[in-house]
Amino acid sequence: PELSDPATDRPGDELRSVINVVPGFEGVATEVRVGGATFPAGETGLEALTSHLAGLLTANPALRVNLRADQATRYEWVQPVLQAVSAASARVEGGGVKPRVQLVVVRED
């Protein structure tokens, strides 16, 4: 059947992008992964990540972002990734793109 109202999407139909903050030793992040793309943690990697995310948001302004980080990773490594998502949305032509971000904290037992 065809949906009469596009706002009535079935759960799970929206496009998602998963950003993984890869943990290192003593709460430091070593890199950030988005799909098959890997970016080094730090300024250069975050700029490349921002550009990559801007491309994803341009292709799909309704993109939902899951940001995954290990519980042991210090927030000082997670917060710049959140800023990269915000900066990427500002780069999308026409503006008004506000990606929905969900922070997922992974606890290793």
Side-chain angles (χ1 to χ4, degrees), residues 16-81:
R16 292 187 191 269
S17 183
V18 178
I19 302 173
N20 291 291
V21 179
V22 180
F25 187 66
E26 293 187 356
V28 175
T30 59
E31 61 189 21
V32 178
R33 294 184 189 147
V34 181
T38 301
F39 307 93
E43 251 182 76
T44 304
L46 288 171
E47 178 55 37
L49 172 65
T50 301
S51 295
H52 180 76
L53 292 172
L56 294 176
L57 288 168
T58 298
N60 184 354
L63 184 71
R64 292 182 181 239
V65 177
N66 285 352
L67 174 57
R68 297 181 71 224
D70 185 88
Q71 183 179 20
T73 302
R74 294 191 311 253
Y75 186 71
E76 68 189 72
W77 293 95
V78 176
Q79 191 263 348
V81 177

Side-chain angles (χ1 to χ4, degrees), residues 84-98:
V85 175
S86 179
S89 68
R91 290 186 186 181
V92 176
E93 190 173 322
V97 173
K98 295 184 187 204

